[in-house]
Amino acid sequence: MELQLGLALPTSNNKSNNRLNFGNDNNDVGSYTNDEVIVQSWLPVANNGGGTECSAVNSRKRRRFIESFEDDHIPINLKTLPLLQLAGGSDDNDDNCSVVLNKIETEDEEEGDDNDGEGIVGWPPISFRRKKKKKMWNHRDQLMMMMIVDGSSPSSEECGEGPTSMYVKVTMDGIGIGRKVDLAVHDSFPSLRRQLFAMFGLPEENPWDGGAGAGEYQLTYQDSEGDWLLADDISWRSFMGSVQRLRLMRSSSSSGSS
Amino acid sequence: MDLTPKQSIPAAESTRFPDEVLERVLTLLKSPKDRNAVSLVCKDWYTADSWSRRHVFIGNCYSVSPEIVARRFPRIRSVTLKGKPRFSDFNLVPDNWGADVQSWLLVFASGSPFLEELRLKRMRVTDESLEFLALNFPNFRALSLLSCDGFSTSGLATVATHCKNLIELDIQENGIEDLSGEWLSCFPDNFSTLEVLNFSNLITDVNPGVLERLVSRCRSLKVLKLNRSSSLDCLHRLLTSAPQLTELGAGSFSQELTPQQHAELKHAFGFCKNLTVLSGFWDATALNLSAVYPACSGLSFLNLSYTALQSQELASLLPHCPCLRRLWVLDSVGDRGLEAVGANCPSLEEIRVFPTDPFDEDMLHTVTESGIVAVSQGCPKLHYILYFCRQMTNAAVATVVRNCPDFTHFRLCIMNPGQPDHTTNQPMDEAFGAVVKTCKKLKRLSISGLLTDLTFKYIGEYAKNLEALSVAFAGSSDLGMQYVMEGCSKLKKLEIRDCPFGNAALLSGLERYESMRSLWMSACNVTVDGCKALARQMPRLNVEVMKEEGSDDCKADKVYVYRTVAGPRRDAPPSVLTFSSL
């Protein structure tokens, strides 16, 4: 019995139709024989709802692909191929095939990770998301530790149990007492600087642009690896992701990231 | 789309089952494998299966197109889709590689708008897609996102706002842009259908009051997994209002409790008689953990992989969990902790030991071969192991599989690449030889350490049920891969990195690839010409090559080969070349 299943098995020895027009409007496409191997760097198709036209075209072309599948070129000793299965059976991670909803097994983590400067990319195989979460939380823990060490008794707001507080310690050269500032209320360096001005009583007209050396003080920060860097060297977002504490350095004594 | 195939079947054959009866019988078959077998029997059964299939599992989203799926299964309610190659978890796949779910949603919205469940793994999901999902599928009720990326908490907010019948929201290990915890407040005040809520992946705080009210409204809530910023006070209140929970992911467990608070928490845990799964417990202290003991008597799965317990803490906890079948821990528990596992968990079937500090090579407190042997001695039912360690011996592995011959999943990661047996300085070939010779049911194997082609010879010769193999920094020549391709007839997934396998090895799998889901080879010796040759000979495979910056033109840095009925994909970024003989 011949099964017309509409999948990729050849329906007949269709020797004549070896050629296939394939592609969409955005690529230049010709027709290909089975002998040609075409390098196709498909341009990303605009991801819009205009898939309807595309898909009609595609299904037409896909049908031809199926029909024109030519098994003459397959080595004779190839066994009959199992019908390609849409449902691949047991999830490699899911031992509980019988679970009706086929829950995706949680945490198939074995691996992966971003190269933190540790030699081999993606090794050991630990999911980078697992590791990244740990890093982000270490940062937050450090903040809380600093506040506790500081001597003040943190209220729950200060501890960051409110929505998005992010207190860091700020010291300024020449002033003995450090302060704390909530970075979460700022979205840019100028905004942060304005608050620091006010905190430390620097006059507004102080030409402190924080970077080029024209001002008296430079804003520096310590990142998660312990290095002191100029705050202006990175974007606000990166800054927020790694800042541990701040220091207003007098320009004359600073040398960048000392 | 032709929606009336039934009319084309000749009617009135008295010996035939009525279609309705056949479909009714088929709905009792849930397993995709059974369903697939059914669909191959004859055309009538194929049709009946098509019309009655409610769930479809697609292991590689590019192996088929959404149009084909929608055409074949016009009435599906539940779809599971997996996208990127697994090595994307290790940052080996470019961010914009593909696997965007949007094209699937578009097709389903027009053909199968009654979709109820969507489970995605390693797919790209944007906020726009989540919004589209929430607005276009009125019966939608279950969303599970594992290791996906491209969305933010705003997308979750639209799901919470619009999916009136949501019973499951499961967000795990995703590359999510975590803007705020406001999404939780988007569930309507009268919303009460939730049964599964997992937001353990999220960093930002949710409003505890909102959470507590939601939990007390949802009387059917069975699974609740909190994120790290959820406090113990909040947990206490939640447990009190939801003692029916079967799975709990606690939040942070480091808060200092007064004796009164501790007693109250312990009391609350005591009410939770139905708990079978516990996880979370970030930064747990030993004292706080003891509050959990009353809930552990029925526990089958304990996930402690987010808290660095010491051996004594684990040893104190385990006697309270006599029914434990699955245990995940960090290697901070050390060999002593694993000895406690062997001593207290006779029913244990699965153990996973993750590294606390994968990159700190000076770590003293990790696990060694003694630990894994101790577990195997006490847990004869063990069949799943994932073990990260810094040293191993052939003899230890042989002992382990002698104690536990029923392994189905054996994943050993010796973290220093190419490291030999530390007592004999020999390759680890005999270790994995012992595994494949002894464990006849082995389905999944990950190998590591110093390995020659002999390991692969063993695998090809003995691992006849092997379906998934992961290889890194192993092998001596093309022969290694050839042994596997020739011998492992049930192989479905093969992942290889940093091995000396070249074009001959790649092409040795010619007869195998169409029965496999995929092959990944990175940092091997395969060239672009080899990939072209493969594509030329196998039209039903997509052969993708990802080039790295600055590499030779002829080198195929990363190769991803998979079978497909959908032809070459059109959404690959410029850095991914697709070879096809179409």
Side-chain angles (χ1 to χ4, degrees):
Chain A
M1 170 180 358
E2 205 173 55
L3 297 180
Q4 304 277 346
L5 297 178
L7 294 180
L9 282 185
T11 57
S12 60
N13 282 337
N14 200 347
K15 290 186 185 358
S16 58
N17 197 359
N18 219 359
R19 304 170 74 83
L20 178 70
N21 286 327
F22 202 91
N24 60 22
D25 300 333
N26 292 337
N27 299 309
D28 54 52
V29 183
S31 56
Y32 312 95
T33 64
N34 271 349
D35 291 331
E36 287 178 37
V37 175
I38 304 301
V39 176
Q40 311 208 28
S41 175
W42 297 100
L43 297 175
V45 177
N47 191 11
N48 52 24
T52 39
E53 189 202 353
C54 236
S55 59
V57 168
N58 292 347
S59 60
R60 204 166 54 234
K61 295 202 167 144
R62 197 165 293 111
R63 189 121 185 86
R64 291 181 64 184
F65 156 64
I66 290 167
E67 283 172 347
S68 66
F69 179 81
E70 172 58 63
D71 62 356
D72 278 2
H73 293 259
I74 291 180
I76 303 294
N77 56 1
L78 194 61
K79 308 195 288 288
T80 305
L81 298 168
L83 182 66
L84 296 178
Q85 297 176 349
L86 288 179
S90 68
D91 179 357
D92 52 293
N93 305 315
D94 190 355
D95 293 329
N96 304 320
C97 261
S98 56
V99 172
V100 172
L101 294 180
N102 271 2
K103 274 178 121 163
I104 297 177
E105 184 62 75
T106 66
E107 295 107 326
D108 162 31
E109 309 182 340
E110 168 167 286
E111 12 327 31
D113 122 285
D114 57 62
N115 190 6
D116 301 306
E118 301 281 348
I120 306 170
V121 176
W123 189 265
I126 288 281
S127 166
F128 71 88
R129 295 184 189 99
R130 181 183 257 271
K131 188 166 184 303
K132 196 184 274 185
K133 275 199 301 198
K134 282 190 71 168
K135 271 179 93 164
M136 287 179 70
W137 278 103
N138 288 345
H139 166 78
R140 190 176 151 132
D141 288 347
Q142 283 178 31
L143 290 181
M144 294 186 59
M145 279 308 297
M146 277 195 314
M147 290 186 290
I148 292 166
V149 163
D150 211 9
S152 52
S153 51
S155 65
S156 63
E157 282 82 18
E158 283 186 15
C159 269
E161 296 208 2
T164 44
S165 322
M166 191 175 158
Y167 280 87
V168 296
K169 204 166 173 181
V170 188
T171 51
M172 180 162 128
D173 286 358
I175 293 185
I177 297 176
R179 306 290 302 273
K180 284 202 302 279
V181 62
D182 182 2
L183 292 180
V185 304
H186 298 285
D187 60 356
S188 67
F189 288 118
S191 158
L192 171 63
R193 286 196 192 104
R194 271 195 293 280
Q195 183 181 3
L196 293 177
F197 269 124
M199 248 185 199
F200 288 100
L202 286 172
E204 284 280 336
E205 342 28 288
N206 193 343
W208 177 38
D209 63 5
E216 195 180 349
Y217 288 93
Q218 282 191 346
L219 180 60
T220 62
Y221 73 101
Q222 187 180 38
D223 74 0
S224 47
E225 269 138 50
D227 301 321
W228 285 94
L229 306 168
L230 275 178
D232 270 339
D233 281 351
I234 53 164
S235 70
W236 177 257
R237 262 186 103 159
S238 313
F239 170 76
M240 285 290 275
S242 60
V243 61
Q244 306 292 303
R245 53 199 303 178
L246 297 171
R247 178 178 163 198
L248 291 165
M249 275 178 158
R250 258 196 255 269
S251 295
S252 52
S253 62
S254 75
S255 56
S257 53
S258 52
Chain B
M1 175 166 58
D2 181 20
L3 286 172
T4 56
K6 289 189 187 181
Q7 294 167 8
S8 65
I9 300 173
E13 285 190 21
S14 56
T15 54
R16 266 184 49 223
F17 251 1
D19 294 329
E20 293 78 11
V21 174
L22 182 57
E23 279 182 34
R24 190 76 182 88
V25 170
L26 294 184
T27 52
L28 300 174
L29 287 175
K30 308 290 186 196
S31 141
K33 272 187 177 158
D34 289 340
R35 282 291 195 141
N36 293 342
V38 159
S39 70
L40 294 177
V41 168
C42 65
K43 196 171 179 195
D44 286 344
W45 284 42
Y46 172 87
T47 309
D49 167 66
S50 294
W51 279 89
S52 62
R53 182 107 56 136
R54 292 291 174 264
H55 170 253
V56 68
F57 169 89
I58 298 164
N60 173 6
C61 65
Y62 287 118
S63 63
V64 69
S65 74
E67 291 83 5
I68 292 177
V69 175
R71 190 167 60 231
R72 180 172 170 185
F73 301 115
R75 293 209 208 137
I76 38 169
R77 297 277 182 269
S78 162
V79 176
T80 303
L81 265 175
K82 293 186 170 184
K84 301 184 194 179
R86 195 172 69 97
F87 277 11
S88 67
D89 286 350
F90 323 152
N91 277 340
L92 290 179
V93 174
D95 272 342
N96 56 351
W97 181 82
D100 196 312
V101 75
Q102 183 64 15
S103 56
W104 290 84
L105 294 177
L106 286 172
V107 169
F108 287 146
S110 62
S112 316
F114 301 113
L115 192 70
E116 295 174 2
E117 299 175 5
L118 191 62
R119 294 170 204 287
L120 305 178
K121 185 168 184 180
R122 296 193 194 99
M123 300 281 296
R124 180 157 186 83
V125 184
T126 59
D127 285 343
E128 289 72 29
S129 290
L130 288 175
E131 188 176 2
F132 184 87
L133 177 70
L135 295 175
N136 287 280
F137 297 93
N139 291 1
F140 194 75
R141 51 181 214 156
L143 179 67
S144 172
L145 300 175
L146 173 57
S147 299
C148 297
D149 68 286
F151 63 106
S152 76
T153 40
S154 308
L156 296 184
T158 56
V159 172
T161 307
H162 298 290
C163 295
K164 305 277 181 257
N165 303 310
L166 202 67
I167 64 170
E168 175 175 344
L169 184 61
D170 181 19
I171 310 294
Q172 291 184 55
E173 295 297 326
N174 297 292
I176 182 174
E177 194 185 351
D178 201 338
L179 301 171
S180 85
E182 278 306 305
W183 61 273
L184 190 70
S185 310
C186 293
F187 285 111
D189 286 337
N190 60 352
F191 172 78
S192 63
T193 49
L194 214 53
E195 296 176 21
V196 174
L197 178 61
N198 178 356
F199 60 98
S200 53
N201 181 211
L202 301 180
I203 305 274
T204 50
D205 303 334
V206 299
N207 185 315
V210 168
L211 177 61
E212 287 158 34
R213 284 192 295 281
L214 179 66
V215 167
S216 56
R217 287 203 302 277
C218 297
R219 305 314 309 161
S220 305
L221 192 70
K222 290 282 182 297
V223 175
L224 178 63
K225 307 213 176 165
L226 309 174
N227 66 356
R228 187 172 177 170
S229 48
S230 301
S231 69
L232 280 177
D233 297 327
C234 178
L235 177 64
H236 173 239
R237 290 190 289 273
L238 292 170
L239 288 178
T240 311
S241 71
Q244 77 280 5
L245 290 178
T246 59
E247 296 187 22
L248 173 70
S252 162
F253 239 65
S254 61
Q255 187 179 330
E256 268 200 43
L257 298 175
T258 66
Q260 169 80 1
Q261 285 171 317
H262 188 275
E264 283 173 4
L265 185 63
K266 196 165 181 174
H267 192 62
F269 267 111
F271 274 123
C272 299
K273 293 296 180 207
N274 297 324
L275 278 180
T276 55
V277 176
L278 277 179
S279 60
F281 299 109
W282 282 275
D283 311 313
T285 62
L287 181 60
N288 287 355
L289 262 188
S290 63
V292 181
Y293 293 169
C296 292
S297 53
L299 213 56
S300 69
F301 177 22
L302 184 56
N303 180 355
L304 297 168
S305 63
Y306 285 103
T307 185
L309 285 192
Q310 302 302 304
S311 56
Q312 188 49 46
E313 291 159 350
L314 184 64
S316 305
L317 171 59
L318 288 178
H320 298 268
C321 315
C323 306
L324 207 59
R325 291 191 295 115
R326 301 171 67 198
L327 177 64
W328 296 13
V329 289
L330 290 177
D331 64 2
S332 55
V333 303
D335 288 335
R336 295 281 303 276
L338 296 180
E339 284 162 26
V341 173
N344 288 291
C345 306
S347 309
L348 199 70
E349 298 175 18
E350 171 180 331
I351 185 161
R352 302 196 196 193
V353 181
F354 296 94
T356 318
D357 266 304
F359 303 108
D360 186 349
E361 288 176 22
D362 295 329
M363 278 289 290
L364 300 174
H365 308 293
T366 60
V367 294
T368 71
E369 65 271 16
S370 318
I372 193 177
V373 168
V375 175
S376 72
Q377 275 163 353
C379 310
K381 297 186 187 172
L382 204 62
H383 69 83
Y384 192 123
I385 187 157
L386 168 61
Y387 201 74
F388 284 85
C389 57
R390 296 189 193 280
Q391 62 183 57
M392 188 51 60
T393 66
N394 288 305
V397 175
T399 304
V400 166
V401 294
R402 202 162 43 238
N403 292 335
C404 306
D406 296 329
F407 273 110
T408 55
H409 297 66
F410 196 94
R411 301 162 68 185
L412 178 63
C413 181
I414 304 167
M415 287 195 273
N416 193 14
Q419 182 171 300
D421 177 325
H422 77 95
T423 55
T424 65
N425 235 25
Q426 294 298 304
M428 296 296 295
D429 295 333
E430 293 309 317
F432 295 103
V435 172
V436 295
K437 285 175 192 167
T438 314
C439 305
K440 304 287 184 225
K441 304 180 197 168
L442 195 69
K443 290 198 300 184
R444 182 170 182 185
L445 179 65
S446 300
I447 61 181
S448 58
L450 179 64
L451 298 171
T452 70
D453 286 344
L454 183 57
T455 298
F456 300 97
K457 185 157 189 280
Y458 286 144
I459 294 174
E461 193 174 331
Y462 294 100
K464 291 307 182 187
N465 285 319
L466 196 64
E467 296 181 13
L469 178 63
S470 286
V471 183
F473 306 100
S476 333
S477 74
D478 285 337
L479 268 184
M481 186 167 164
Q482 273 170 236
Y483 286 134
V484 171
M485 298 317 299
E486 284 160 17
C488 298
S489 53
K490 294 193 183 175
L491 199 62
K492 294 280 179 292
K493 287 173 58 170
L494 179 57
E495 309 168 316
I496 302 173
R497 62 166 292 178
D498 294 276
C499 296
F501 302 145
N503 293 336
L506 176 70
L507 293 170
S508 71
L510 219 53
E511 293 181 27
R512 193 65 70 204
Y513 297 134
E514 281 198 4
S515 59
M516 287 171 58
R517 184 186 296 174
S518 65
L519 164 75
W520 170 279
M521 287 179 80
S522 60
C524 297
N525 295 339
V526 177
T527 68
V528 166
D529 284 340
C531 295
K532 284 187 187 175
L534 176 61
R536 188 181 301 122
Q537 297 183 63
M538 304 296 293
R540 290 186 300 194
L541 299 180
N542 279 352
V543 181
E544 294 189 8
V545 174
M546 286 157 260
K547 300 281 296 166
E548 275 166 18
E549 283 186 28
S551 80
D552 293 340
D553 280 344
C554 61
K555 276 196 63 175
D557 304 307
K558 297 172 185 168
V559 179
Y560 185 52
V561 179
Y562 55 91
R563 65 182 181 187
T564 179
V565 295
R569 63 183 176 111
R570 289 189 188 78
D571 59 353
S575 59
V576 176
L577 309 177
T578 304
F579 295 97
S580 166
S581 65
L582 294 175

